[in-house]
Amino acid sequence: MPRIRILPEILSNKIAAGEVIERPASVVKELLENALDAESTRILIELKQAGKSLLQVSDNGIGMHRDDALLSVERYATSKIFKDEDLLAIKTLGFRGEALPSIASVSRFCIESRDKHSEGGTRIRIEGGKIQNVTDIGAPIGTQVSVRDLFFNTPARRKFLKTADTEMGHITDTVAKIALAWPGVMFRLIHNGKTVKDWPAADPEERVADVVGGNLRGELLPLSAEYGGLRVGGWVASAHMARNTPRSIYIYVNHRYVRNRMIQHALMDGYANRLMKGRFPVAVLFLAVPFDQVDVNVHPAKQEVRFADTQAVHRLIRAATAHAVAAAETPKWTAPPIAPIPAAEAGGHYESTIGPPFMPAAVSAGPAFNPERLEGPPLGHDKKPAQASFSEQQTALWPKNRFSDLRVIGQFQDTYILCESETKDLILIDQHAAHERVRYEQLCAEKSREPGAVQRLLIPETLELGHEEAGIVHALMDELARFGLEIAPFGGNTVVIKTVPAMLSGKQIAPLIREIAEKTADIGIHPGIAGTLDQVKKLLACHSALKANQKLTDSQVKTLLRQLDACEDPSHCPHGRPTWIRWELSGIEKSFRRIS
């Protein structure tokens, strides 16, 4: 008796469903993608018991002819792939040709559809993968898919579903992520007869604020860049809006929501030390990549992608983010508006308005920046972000925004410098964080990479790494030696640290080397010497900066304020902490009930 058998089609569909259909939210995602591919402008999602008893998606898209409707529930049937080359240049959201038959195999399924060329519609009922009947019906143009009793014939899968609140949370999150990328489409989500969420067709920025959080209105910084066939657009929020988790980072590639560590790393890197450890920015990024330069077929649920040129994508997003954030970093005691840099001055060709296919037209993005920022290693910040230009009429306002124009009141706890602005606001400056920023930028400006004073360790320190991490450190050994870090192979995946820069004397260097290697391996990007030196510069800046609880003279305070004026980013220390905060006079007077 043969051991190997061909599985029955229904069982094969159940296995496919296990890969694609994890929970009701997975069904919603697949059906919404099909509706959007069908050019729908209005989509209604109706649920009962969080999709366990009913999940229905109705759209006003192009619909299907009877023959196409029948083929749509057959496995491997699709209107989106016809030849081998199509797999390498996928242009649609749904494409596998497995979603509908997989869903139908684990539910009581019904699809009704009509296209504009048909006088009537078609209804197909399927139960557990078996077609029950096919009938002609009256129906509007578009498609409606009803999924009842999900996982009724796979009780093991059904018992793993969570509470209704949990499943609804996943569904709402799924719909929100898709709605964010399609502001021109109306989405309405109804649960047990009550409207949970209604997203009318809206301005893209309004849709972002609605999905990500209303407190972002007025806080979003437009982002736009194009380089080498790649385009990125969207919005980021300033560092003070950072959150404790990466849940508010939305990444889209050719309109598809994806999870991608490399893109997230490039985004974080673009904030250039403005974020504290453990804090994540609010960002909505739309990346447009030539279809033959991105592989979306690497995950059953199509949530991960792979790029042909990872380095180029990383550089584009990092530079665009850095420019958008830096343009809004000027301390605003009485801040003038920022004027865009003319394209001729910025150099190269950049689009300041993002159009299809990855963002709707008429979305105004921020000022362009010099494409030379995209050259060089993908990590590190040796090159300074481009500065915004100011018109002649605005020049007179700018001096009143300098730190050195603040009136110094004194020191608090020998840690915070108290100042008064022209607008009578109280400005508090953290002297350690501020001087750390000054020292960091001074180190970044130094041309020489000579090691300077080096200390040879009395007992060399060994460090054991993983195979990939050890290879990364081996590749960096010559560059690290130029900075005073002499590292040598010690057999297998172990290396030995022999010397360290004198400024790092007494400090543990092994954790730094391990972190650099592991982070590089994790995101698949080689940092080169720039990224390595950046980490070391942060340590050097911290150890050489003014400390808290240190009394300063008037001369030292004034010098520090002048040095802050010369910084590219005077608002954050290299580790992302704020260097200053502002208490408005009106807020203080309200606290004392002088005003209401």
Side-chain angles (χ1 to χ4, degrees):
M1 182 176 180
R3 294 183 178 181
I4 299 176
R5 303 178 184 177
I6 297 176
L7 293 174
E9 184 176 359
I10 292 178
L11 183 56
S12 298
N13 284 341
K14 287 185 179 180
I15 293 173
E19 294 178 344
V20 178
I21 310 303
E22 179 184 359
R23 58 189 346 134
S26 307
V27 177
V28 171
K29 175 181 179 293
E30 296 291 341
L31 297 183
L32 288 183
E33 288 181 345
N34 282 343
L36 290 167
D37 284 339
E39 304 173 14
S40 305
T41 59
R42 297 193 304 274
I43 302 177
L44 176 65
I45 306 104
E46 298 177 87
L47 309 167
K48 289 184 179 178
Q49 295 183 335
K52 296 177 184 179
S53 62
L54 173 67
L55 192 162
Q56 183 171 281
V57 174
S58 309
D59 67 61
N60 68 338
I62 59 176
M64 290 181 286
H65 182 270
R66 178 186 178 95
D67 293 341
D68 286 338
L70 285 168
L71 284 173
S72 72
V73 294
E74 295 289 339
R75 198 174 179 201
Y76 305 127
T78 177
S79 63
K80 302 160 186 177
I81 297 175
F82 300 100
K83 54 186 182 296
D84 290 350
E85 292 78 5
D86 292 342
L87 286 173
L88 303 177
I90 293 172
K91 301 178 177 63
T92 56
L93 298 175
F95 59 85
R96 288 181 178 274
E98 296 177 352
L100 293 185
S102 296
I103 296 168
S105 69
V106 290
S107 68
R108 295 183 171 93
F109 179 94
C110 177
I111 183 171
E112 299 176 358
S113 191
R114 175 195 165 199
D115 66 2
K116 65 180 181 180
H117 302 293
S118 303
E119 294 183 358
T122 303
R123 174 188 292 146
I124 304 172
R125 293 188 182 276
I126 304 174
E127 186 167 322
K130 293 183 178 179
I131 294 180
Q132 301 298 305
N133 57 69
V134 180
T135 56
D136 294 329
I137 60 170
I141 296 173
T143 300
Q144 177 178 284
V145 177
S146 303
V147 179
R148 300 180 186 275
D149 303 326
L150 184 64
F151 299 135
F152 80 97
N153 55 349
T154 53
R157 176 58 64 90
R158 189 175 178 87
K159 75 176 183 180
F160 279 100
L161 295 180
K162 306 300 181 184
T163 65
D165 287 344
T166 299
E167 295 299 337
M168 273 303 298
H170 287 290
I171 291 171
T172 304
D173 185 57
T174 297
V175 177
K177 287 173 179 174
I178 293 176
L180 197 157
W182 299 84
V185 177
M186 183 277 285
F187 295 84
R188 181 172 297 155
L189 177 62
I190 297 175
H191 183 223
N192 293 338
K194 296 182 179 180
T195 299
V196 175
K197 192 63 182 175
D198 193 354
W199 285 288
D203 171 81
E205 187 170 358
E206 183 65 24
R207 177 67 64 86
V208 170
D210 191 12
V211 171
V212 183
N215 65 328
L216 290 175
R217 288 180 174 86
E219 296 287 347
L220 294 171
L221 310 174
L223 174 152
S224 175
E226 180 176 355
Y227 195 74
L230 304 174
R231 288 189 291 166
V232 64
W235 293 268
V236 294
S238 56
H240 77 274
M241 299 295 294
R243 301 182 179 179
N244 293 325
T245 71
R247 287 179 57 84
S248 293
I249 297 176
Y250 296 83
I251 299 169
Y252 297 85
V253 177
N254 295 342
H255 258 327
R256 183 190 308 278
Y257 175 81
V258 300
R259 295 191 296 259
N260 189 281
R261 288 183 176 180
M262 180 274 294
I263 293 179
Q264 181 173 314
H265 180 275
L267 171 70
M268 300 283 286
D269 205 32
Y271 273 79
N273 313 315
R274 293 172 173 86
L275 295 171
M276 293 179 62
K277 187 175 183 180
R279 301 282 283 172
F280 299 88
V282 176
V284 179
L285 299 181
F286 298 91
L287 181 66
V289 184
F291 295 110
D292 60 351
Q293 297 297 306
V294 58
D295 185 0
V296 300
N297 201 24
V298 296
H299 188 277
K302 299 169 288 187
Q303 292 181 340
E304 297 176 9
V305 295
R306 187 163 47 209
F307 299 99
D309 191 344
T310 304
Q311 300 273 8
V313 173
H314 190 285
R315 285 197 296 268
L316 177 70
I317 292 173
R318 182 203 62 192
T321 302
H323 176 72
V325 175
E329 280 297 331
T330 303
K332 296 178 179 61
W333 334 126
T334 56
I338 295 175
I341 300 175
E345 295 179 20
H349 175 69
Y350 275 81
E351 296 291 340
S352 61
T353 301
I354 300 300
F358 69 112
M359 283 182 65
V363 176
S364 179
F369 55 88
N370 196 321
E372 291 181 1
R373 281 283 295 147
L374 301 180
E375 301 301 330
L379 302 184
H381 307 282
D382 284 350
K383 291 187 178 180
K384 298 181 180 180
Q387 289 292 301
S389 301
F390 291 91
S391 69
E392 293 180 1
Q393 291 82 1
Q394 295 164 338
T395 303
L397 294 176
W398 173 241
K400 295 302 182 183
N401 290 297
R402 297 183 306 186
F403 285 92
S404 56
D405 288 321
L406 297 171
R407 186 173 74 85
V408 179
I409 300 173
Q411 254 184 306
F412 176 65
Q413 292 291 307
D414 291 340
T415 300
Y416 304 101
I417 301 170
L418 307 183
C419 303
E420 181 181 346
S421 75
E422 286 287 317
T423 54
K424 308 302 180 184
D425 295 333
L426 181 63
I427 311 297
L428 285 76
I429 300 172
D430 184 325
Q431 64 193 42
H432 172 70
H435 196 226
E436 191 176 11
R437 162 54 60 179
V438 169
R439 289 294 297 122
Y440 172 75
E441 293 205 9
Q442 288 173 345
L443 288 167
C444 289
E446 292 176 359
K447 304 265 185 201
S448 174
R449 287 184 179 171
E450 295 301 320
V454 172
Q455 178 178 339
R456 185 165 293 277
L457 299 179
L458 183 62
I459 301 177
E461 185 175 356
T462 58
L463 174 62
E464 186 173 355
L465 300 163
H467 178 77
E468 186 175 3
E469 291 81 2
I472 291 170
V473 173
H474 287 174
L476 290 174
M477 283 179 180
D478 290 342
E479 298 288 358
L480 291 174
R482 295 171 56 190
F483 200 72
L485 284 165
E486 184 183 347
I487 302 175
F490 200 66
N493 296 330
T494 303
V495 297
V496 59
I497 305 169
K498 296 181 178 181
T499 68
V500 297
M503 286 296 295
L504 296 180
S505 177
K507 305 298 179 181
Q508 290 187 337
I509 197 67
L512 171 63
I513 303 301
R514 182 185 297 278
E515 181 181 356
I516 292 171
E518 289 180 348
K519 184 180 294 185
T520 303
D522 189 39
I523 64 170
I525 295 287
H526 196 295
I529 189 61
T532 303
L533 294 184
D534 192 60
Q535 297 295 326
V536 177
K537 288 171 187 173
K538 291 177 186 178
L539 288 174
L540 294 175
C542 182
H543 292 305
S544 62
L546 294 169
K547 299 296 186 284
N549 303 311
Q550 181 176 342
K551 186 70 176 177
L552 302 182
T553 65
D554 290 344
S555 176
Q556 287 176 311
V557 170
K558 291 179 180 178
T559 298
L560 177 59
L561 295 183
R562 286 196 301 269
Q563 289 174 328
L564 279 176
D565 284 333
C567 288
E568 293 286 351
D569 176 20
S571 299
H572 301 88
C573 82
H575 304 98
R577 290 199 303 114
T579 59
W580 62 273
I581 60 174
R582 175 178 60 183
W583 287 353
E584 294 182 355
L585 176 61
S586 60
I588 296 175
E589 291 190 326
K590 284 180 181 178
S591 297
F592 283 105
R593 298 184 180 176
R594 285 182 173 272
I595 60 175
S596 58

